[in-house]
Amino acid sequence: MASKTRKVLQPQYVGRFQCTGSACEDSCCVGWHVAIDKETYRIYRDCPDMELRLKMGKKVTRNRSTASDTDYAKIKLNDDGGCPFLDQDRMCSVQRKLGEQFLSVTCTTYPRISTTVNGSLEKTLTFSCPEAARLALLNPARMEFDEIEEDNHVRNFINRDPLDTEDKKVAHKPQKYFWELRIFIITLLQDRSYPIWQRLVILGFFCARLSELENGGRVHEIPQAINTYQKRVAEGMYREELQTVPNNLLIQMELLTELISQRMFAGVNHKGFMDCFAEFSSGINHTEEAMVEKLIEGYDSAYTKYYQPFMEQHEHVLENYIVNSIFKNLFPFSGEKNIFDNYAMLIIHYAMIKMLLIGISGFHKENFAIDHVLKTIQSFTKVIEHENTYLAAVFKFIKDNDLNNMPYMAALIKN
Ligand code: SF4
């Protein structure tokens, strides 16, 4: 008889997640596209509650051009950006009146994001949800993972193609060694005998080596490469070389402000992110007339006086952010064809968050606190990480300008 449950691998914080509902400071029912899957759209046409059926008829509209079974229709938001099904208590009237089974896949599953590896389900939460960000980022302990049993009826939002390390198609590809790579990479990123910037630079060296082996048709040497890096990291053999990594604040300021400005020009209606960007600008003394040298001075001063002393006590926040991203995106196979390009996109995310936080620390000075860090990462995730079109443009910019190389990435990482 078929099992009624299935195994799910997930970070431990996922099991502790509870939506905060009407108390949520940045509800997922406000301010962004709510996709309705085909099955739910069909059910809403015959909704048993007449008042809701009338509203669904007006407010749930088909995607004529780009419809897919998971993104078949959408909810037309109110002028204030809120979902029209939110009631006066800021709770979902569909769920309250009809129950969870009448919610769409998006509304049921958010902030959970699922993938499958070798046919097994994996689940993480996106940090665009403030409660998910709090649970994962504030835990000073290293992120740990559990394999739990889940009822087969639980709905999941699978956001990418499955990864199968035993598939013949990857027999001569790095994906064959996914598990060995994942375990080494997460162990490296949780090795607190190195500051986070050094872990990220070592990861860059390693990803460059993986791309070299892949491009050279020597994928079978990956297990040996992992052993070599494990040994060198354990014996501290990179420490001397890491001390010679130069910082280049001009590159950071020029590239990262350009990338964030591109996102702002594309239109941001998220108050939290706008606040963060305004505090960042003010924190580095940005004015229309300010020369880049003046900005770098403000940026470097904020880093030295406020950001670095604070983050030295809270580096686990950035570690948890990166480890969650590595696990969620099946890194180093997280979307781009080339492994080093996936590394470059990971560093771009990290560097943009770091730059914003440095400016914001300069704005709040001694009062710079963990809530500022949480708000920045949460609103950054909502405004940047869910914007695939923007991220594709960022990647093209990096490629077209030949910025996807180790010296450039190191310049973005080190302050
Ligand atoms: S963002 Fe998270 S905590 Fe807030 S309403 Fe949505 S699921 Fe709940």
Side-chain angles (χ1 to χ4, degrees):
M1 191 169 82
S3 162
K4 288 196 174 65
T5 63
R6 59 184 162 222
K7 291 195 180 323
V8 181
L9 180 65
Q10 59 186 36
Q12 286 177 342
Y13 76 85
V14 175
R16 296 195 295 274
F17 176 75
Q18 271 284 320
C19 170
T20 54
S22 54
C24 181
E25 67 265 45
D26 188 16
S27 170
C28 51
C29 310
V30 177
W32 59 356
H33 172 81
V34 180
I36 298 291
D37 54 282
K38 190 174 182 179
E39 178 58 16
T40 303
Y41 182 79
R42 191 186 58 71
I43 291 168
Y44 284 3
R45 296 294 94 185
D46 306 324
C47 175
D49 179 286
M50 284 319 290
E51 187 194 345
L52 279 175
R53 190 194 291 189
L54 286 174
K55 189 182 263 184
M56 286 163 175
K58 286 198 206 100
K59 293 289 187 176
V60 180
T61 55
R62 282 269 316 272
N63 294 334
R64 295 291 168 199
S65 55
T66 57
S68 67
D69 284 6
T70 51
D71 194 1
Y72 189 76
K74 62 177 177 293
I75 295 182
K76 271 198 291 186
L77 303 178
N78 294 337
D79 295 344
D80 65 359
C83 173
F85 298 100
L86 272 182
D87 64 19
Q88 69 282 0
D89 305 324
R90 289 176 61 73
M91 297 298 279
C92 177
S93 56
V94 176
Q95 182 164 6
R96 187 169 52 76
K97 278 186 166 181
L98 302 169
E100 190 178 328
Q101 68 280 18
F102 273 80
L103 294 179
S104 69
V105 172
T106 306
C107 298
T108 305
T109 57
Y110 181 88
R112 299 164 194 82
I113 289 182
S114 302
T115 54
T116 59
V117 176
N118 296 353
S120 295
L121 207 61
E122 300 194 348
K123 209 174 275 193
T124 36
L125 304 183
T126 168
F127 297 155
S128 52
C129 162
E131 184 59 13
R134 262 188 296 274
L135 276 175
L137 299 175
L138 296 186
N139 183 353
R142 290 177 179 78
M143 192 176 283
E144 296 199 21
F145 302 84
D146 283 344
E147 190 170 62
I148 58 128
E149 292 282 337
E150 168 183 276
D151 189 295
N152 285 343
H153 294 106
V154 172
R155 288 192 282 176
N156 286 293
F157 175 62
I158 308 277
N159 81 327
R160 55 163 291 157
D161 297 339
L163 177 64
D164 184 352
T165 63
E166 279 125 35
D167 187 328
K168 283 199 290 312
K169 287 200 288 297
V170 302
H172 304 290
K173 293 195 170 196
Q175 283 82 344
K176 178 181 174 186
Y177 302 106
F178 171 69
W179 276 108
E180 296 89 336
L181 290 168
R182 175 186 253 184
I183 293 166
F184 167 64
I185 289 170
I186 290 182
T187 308
L188 167 64
L189 290 168
Q190 293 182 325
D191 182 341
R192 295 180 179 181
S193 71
Y194 293 85
I196 197 95
W197 77 264
Q198 292 189 355
R199 298 175 229 171
L200 289 170
V201 171
I202 297 171
L203 178 61
F205 296 156
F206 181 63
C207 289
R209 178 73 179 133
L210 292 179
S211 287
E212 203 181 288
L213 292 176
E214 181 178 16
N215 301 339
R218 294 154 52 205
V219 162
H220 60 281
E221 293 178 27
I222 288 179
Q224 182 50 50
I226 294 173
N227 292 344
T228 306
Y229 271 77
Q230 258 164 351
K231 194 164 172 297
R232 290 181 181 164
V233 168
E235 293 169 2
M237 288 171 67
Y238 292 116
R239 292 192 193 283
E240 213 173 305
E241 190 182 351
L242 287 163
Q243 291 316 321
T244 66
V245 172
N247 74 355
N248 188 321
L249 302 185
L250 178 61
I251 282 183
Q252 286 188 25
M253 292 300 296
E254 287 194 331
L255 174 68
L256 302 174
T257 47
E258 169 60 26
L259 292 180
I260 292 195
S261 307
Q262 282 180 16
R263 180 66 189 89
M264 302 297 272
F265 292 139
V268 171
N269 63 1
H270 187 264
K271 184 175 177 321
F273 188 78
M274 303 288 270
D275 293 347
C276 291
F277 190 67
E279 290 176 6
F280 156 74
S281 303
S282 165
I284 62 168
N285 308 322
H286 176 265
T287 60
E288 290 309 313
E289 310 70 45
M291 303 296 288
V292 70
E293 294 73 24
K294 208 78 196 113
L295 295 181
I296 290 174
E297 204 182 290
Y299 182 60
D300 196 24
S301 153
Y303 174 84
T304 313
K305 287 189 193 152
Y306 308 112
Y307 175 87
Q308 187 50 10
F310 181 87
M311 288 316 275
E312 257 164 18
Q313 308 306 315
H314 299 85
E315 213 168 45
H316 59 273
V317 174
L318 295 175
E319 176 193 301
N320 290 337
Y321 167 80
I322 294 164
V323 170
N324 193 69
S325 178
I326 295 275
F327 182 83
K328 172 165 68 80
N329 302 321
L330 306 184
F331 187 91
F333 311 111
S334 35
E336 306 304 339
K337 290 201 183 52
N338 175 286
I339 287 175
F340 194 84
D341 290 342
N342 288 317
Y343 169 76
M345 287 305 283
L346 174 76
I347 297 307
I348 293 288
H349 282 75
Y350 167 78
M352 283 205 269
I353 288 172
K354 172 168 62 74
M355 181 188 75
L356 287 170
L357 288 174
I358 292 170
I360 292 165
S361 74
F363 177 80
H364 292 285
K365 299 186 170 37
E366 295 76 13
N367 303 321
F368 180 55
I370 200 64
D371 286 349
H372 302 127
V373 178
L374 274 178
K375 180 181 174 183
T376 305
I377 294 178
Q378 184 264 333
S379 50
F380 174 91
T381 307
K382 195 161 185 173
V383 170
I384 303 267
E385 288 192 12
H386 287 270
E387 282 298 322
N388 294 336
T389 318
Y390 166 74
L391 291 173
V394 167
F395 179 65
K396 186 172 180 316
F397 183 90
I398 300 290
K399 281 289 251 193
D400 293 354
N401 295 280
D402 292 327
L403 308 180
N404 51 332
N405 58 63
M406 206 45 226
Y408 211 91
M409 291 301 125
L412 293 179
I413 294 168
K414 183 166 185 207
N415 275 69

